[in-house]
Each structure stands twice: as C-alpha cells, then as structure tokens.
Amino acid sequence: MRYVATIQPVHPDNTVCKHPVTDTGAPKDHTSTCSGRSGYIARCSGCSWRRTSKTEAQLEDLGDSHLRSHLRTAALATS
C-alpha cells in the first residue's frame, strides 16, 4: 500500500479552505464567506497522523519524515 501525506490550507476553525485567496490569506472574493486562511494541516492516508502549522514548507518536511517512518515499520515487520 502506498501512503500519501496531503497538505491543505485551513480556516481559523481548522476547516479546509478551498476558496481563492490573496498572498496574505485574505479572500479574493469579498462576497465570500471565507474568513481567510490561518495555516495548513497535513494528514497521512495510512494512519491517524495529523499536524498543523502556519507554513506549508514546515509540513512538507514533517510529512516526508512521517512517511519514511512507515517504510521503516514495514521493513521491520518483514524481517
């Protein structure tokens, strides 16, 4: 099985934001109900691992590290 770590932008209440926003995180469409992005959430498709951060770059590193832990676990299980 292949595990994937996905990163999505979130609102201040940690709901996923799918609205177009400016570089500052404010909604582009002023009539939108979007309150703007407050950060990002990373999730693993193979387990309950979740992390939040203000920056997407930090979550990329954490996600890569977490995915490598699945490789080590699988290798140990087959040894």
Side-chain angles (χ1 to χ4, degrees):
M1 175 178 221
R2 181 179 177 172
Y3 297 123
V4 178
T6 57
I7 300 173
Q8 296 177 299
V10 292
H11 296 131
D13 64 357
N14 282 337
T15 57
V16 174
C17 178
K18 296 181 181 180
H19 308 101
V21 296
T22 63
D23 291 338
T24 63
K28 284 185 178 179
D29 178 5
H30 296 294
T31 62
S32 171
T33 59
C34 178
S35 58
R37 296 178 180 172
S38 64
Y40 296 87
I41 187 167
R43 295 182 173 113
C44 177
S45 65
C47 68
S48 62
W49 181 84
R50 306 271 189 280
R51 294 293 181 274
T52 58
S53 176
K54 295 287 183 189
T55 65
E56 189 173 9
Q58 182 182 20
L59 290 177
E60 288 172 353
D61 293 339
L62 289 171
D64 289 344
S65 177
H66 173 75
L67 291 175
R68 283 192 298 275
S69 75
H70 281 293
L71 293 174
R72 288 191 298 272
T73 303
L76 293 173
T78 60
S79 298

